[in-house]
Amino acid sequence: EITDRIVRGQFEPDCTKVINALVAAEDNCFDIGGHYGYFTFLLAGLARRGRVDTFEPVSAHVNRLNQGVHASGLDHVTIHHCGVADRSGVMRLNFAESDGDDSMAYLQDVGGVASEAADEHYASFSSTEVDVVTLDSLDLPAPGFIKIDAEGAEGAILAGGRELIQSHRPRMLVEVHGVREAFQVMRVLCECDYHAYAVTEQQTTMPLLLVHREDDEAVRRVQETLDRDIEALWA
């Protein structure tokens, strides 16, 4: 189903509009949680004179992403086979190996979603160890844009990137997977003088636009492309 929506161009339409509005040709971008590569390839097409660094811990997804990058000749895209968290090292990754929805892999120490549906889905997961890094530990060009979709690890990822966020003020699109995760994100981003805006009407998972409180230009562009006002969820 996810693959069909991607092929039909119906995957995350509002998020796609937000990214199109905010990413320029010279930008460096991070895609944290690459999965099938929809956002990696979207970013690659926009940041043609910049670069895209994608972080994905699931081996099958990494192989698929590398094949796509190679076939498309995208020399400015790099796929990193690792997770991102609030500390570097090794963590246990729980992941689906079935032919169904394999989008819910999570780092056991910092991720996972507390819901009945998630518990049922997780029951069949396999497990392995993966390398993890923090945003602040990376020796890469600083990003102007970051997308995060990491099955509950979003707060930990941001906590491990406080220095980068405070120094470079990247614009971010972060998928928040629940109330607990939203408070974790809020705790980190308030310290960094960021505001959060809901960009869709989704209720189960919520994509948030996160921008520094002085970045009025980002808010203006997003409101223009969505053709509606967006209000800060916290200030």
Side-chain angles (χ1 to χ4, degrees):
E1 180 182 353
I2 292 176
T3 305
D4 290 342
R5 286 162 56 203
I6 291 172
V7 171
R8 294 196 303 267
Q10 298 172 351
F11 186 70
E12 302 280 10
D14 284 338
C15 292
T16 298
K17 290 178 182 178
V18 169
I19 292 174
N20 275 306
L22 294 181
V23 176
E26 297 80 12
D27 280 342
N28 299 318
C29 306
F30 287 175
D31 182 3
I32 301 174
H35 193 223
Y36 285 180
Y38 175 80
F39 288 109
T40 290
F41 291 104
L42 174 63
L43 292 168
L46 295 169
R48 298 179 302 277
R49 294 190 294 275
R51 61 178 287 159
V52 178
D53 287 280
T54 294
F55 302 85
E56 172 56 54
V58 178
S59 296
H61 298 339
V62 171
N63 293 337
R64 184 186 298 116
L65 286 163
N66 276 320
Q67 289 172 6
V69 167
H70 178 73
S72 303
L74 298 175
D75 296 336
H76 63 308
V77 177
T78 301
I79 310 300
H80 304 268
H81 186 183
C82 63
V84 184
D86 55 355
R87 57 190 182 276
S88 298
V90 175
M91 288 187 184
R92 184 151 294 278
L93 175 75
N94 298 326
F95 64 101
E97 291 186 287
S98 69
D99 293 331
D101 182 7
D102 58 359
S103 64
M104 294 175 65
Y106 66 97
L107 294 170
Q108 186 168 293
D109 289 356
V110 297
V113 178
S115 73
E116 184 175 340
D119 289 343
E120 181 179 348
H121 201 86
Y122 294 160
S124 62
F125 275 21
S126 300
S127 180
T128 189
E129 289 189 336
V130 296
D131 292 330
V132 295
V133 298
T134 68
L135 290 177
D136 285 342
S137 71
L138 297 173
D139 185 18
L140 293 170
F145 183 87
I146 299 174
K147 168 253 161 184
I148 301 174
D149 187 353
E151 192 68 12
E154 47 271 19
I157 291 168
L158 295 171
R162 281 188 179 92
E163 183 178 331
L164 180 148
I165 293 167
Q166 290 175 331
S167 298
H168 300 285
R169 299 180 179 179
R171 295 163 173 175
M172 296 184 280
L173 186 65
V174 178
E175 184 94 355
V176 177
H177 287 76
V179 175
R180 179 191 66 183
E181 291 78 13
F183 277 110
Q184 291 173 341
V185 169
M186 181 177 67
R187 189 178 305 116
V188 177
L189 272 299
C190 283
E191 295 175 5
C192 299
D193 288 331
Y194 267 62
H195 289 177
Y197 301 84
V199 296
T200 75
E201 296 180 351
Q202 291 177 207
Q203 299 296 319
T204 52
T205 60
M206 181 181 293
L208 298 180
L209 170 67
L210 304 174
V211 295
H212 191 268
R213 61 180 176 82
E214 296 179 357
D215 192 358
D216 296 331
E217 176 65 15
V219 178
R220 183 190 65 78
R221 288 187 190 178
V222 169
Q223 291 185 148
E224 285 184 356
T225 196
L226 295 178
D227 195 26
R228 58 180 169 82
D229 290 340
I230 55 175
E231 295 185 3
L233 301 182
W234 68 74

